[in-house]
Amino acid sequence: NAGVTQTPKFRVLKTGQSMTLLCAQDMNHEYMYWYRQDPGMGLRLIHYSVGEGTTAKGEVPDGYNVSRLKKQNFLLGLESAAPSQTSVYFCASSYSTGAGTEAFFGQGTRLTVV
Amino acid sequence: AQSVSQHNHHVILSEAASLELGCNYSYGGTVNLFWYVQYPGQHLQLLLKYFSGDPLVKGIKGFEAEFIKSKFSFNLRKPSVQWSDTAEYFCAVKAGYSTLTFGKGTMLLVSP
């Protein structure tokens, strides 16, 4: 059981380049999330999705776009990367957002923008 | 909107010492509370959670946490830490059907 899988695990981008991070889950979860983790800042929600074809903004959505064309996949795009987007990105999924529902996390993608 | 405050950014302990990590949240209604752990180079894993019932929650690896509603707190405890507990610990809160909000994390270093 793979759980939540993120691709790639590491990436270095030049300022202005674009890229897409892929998150795939095999647990048939409805909800998927993208977080960024920065030292001393904890995890901050970028965007999330409550089901196939839906997306919503989180706490820090600027500079990112997302798509959920298939239930199992949640893509995070950076159209024009900036050094401020250097971070570790985590994808997560959950069955619902009901009481006690936990989120399952991927291994993370370490992105450096130079 | 809910928020989470973790009191200590870094904690250093010797093996066998007792651990208590503070977590306070701000939200007046019903909340679900979580502690996640992130071992070096790994993803976040759930340690324990509270959503109803007994306010003293036991999790994996000997960790426990107590929900004190009057203090808006959910502190994590372990009677005797091990070197393998070295990790970053995140408290998180979910109010109703909202998404998870995380604290800034506490880095625990256990020296052998």
Side-chain angles (χ1 to χ4, degrees):
Chain A
N1 189 349
V4 180
T5 304
Q6 292 181 231
T7 310
K9 290 184 171 50
F10 303 93
R11 186 72 185 270
V12 179
L13 285 180
K14 293 183 179 179
T15 298
Q17 285 185 319
S18 63
M19 79 163 294
T20 300
L21 281 66
L22 171 64
C23 176
Q25 53 94 3
D26 62 2
M27 297 174 281
N28 201 34
H29 285 170
E30 289 292 336
Y31 295 77
M32 297 187 74
Y33 316 86
W34 276 107
Y35 289 88
R36 60 177 289 172
Q37 182 183 26
D38 302 292
M41 299 295 290
L43 276 81
R44 293 179 293 170
L45 184 64
I46 305 171
H47 286 281
Y48 65 101
S49 168
V50 302
E52 182 178 322
T54 73
T55 62
K57 293 181 179 180
E59 181 185 354
V60 288
D62 294 342
Y64 305 95
N65 57 75
V66 288
S67 64
R68 183 99 181 268
L69 298 179
K70 294 183 178 180
K71 185 177 183 178
Q72 63 268 33
N73 295 337
F74 194 31
L75 278 63
L76 177 71
L78 286 73
E79 291 186 347
S80 180
S84 61
Q85 294 178 304
T86 292
S87 186
V88 180
Y89 292 86
F90 285 98
C91 177
S93 71
S94 65
Y95 178 72
S96 74
T97 60
T101 304
E102 67 178 274
F104 294 83
F105 285 82
Q107 295 278 2
T109 296
R110 185 173 295 275
L111 174 66
T112 302
V113 183
V114 298
Chain B
Q2 63 266 26
S3 65
V4 181
S5 174
Q6 291 184 239
H7 310 305
N8 309 99
H9 290 159
H10 294 90
V11 173
I12 301 175
L13 294 173
S14 299
E15 273 194 316
S18 64
L19 170 72
E20 180 161 2
L21 301 182
C23 173
N24 286 91
Y25 65 93
S26 65
Y27 184 76
T30 302
V31 293
N32 297 170
L33 296 157
F34 305 79
W35 275 99
Y36 281 85
V37 60
Q38 185 180 29
Y39 298 104
Q42 296 190 24
H43 64 289
L44 277 76
Q45 304 170 43
L46 183 69
L47 266 182
L48 48 79
K49 64 182 180 183
Y50 169 83
F51 60 97
S52 67
D54 190 342
L56 184 61
V57 179
K58 294 191 184 298
I60 61 172
K61 304 186 180 185
F63 286 91
E64 65 179 31
E66 184 175 12
F67 170 52
I68 303 180
K69 189 174 182 179
S70 61
K71 295 185 177 180
F72 297 89
S73 70
F74 190 56
N75 292 355
L76 182 70
R77 301 194 293 248
K78 186 172 184 178
S80 176
V81 294
Q82 302 173 321
W83 176 79
S84 57
D85 292 324
T86 293
E88 191 159 17
Y89 293 80
F90 293 94
C91 182
V93 63
K94 190 168 75 67
Y97 285 85
S98 69
T99 57
L100 275 173
T101 298
F102 285 86
K104 294 185 177 181
T106 297
M107 187 67 221
L108 171 66
L109 177 62
V110 180
S111 58

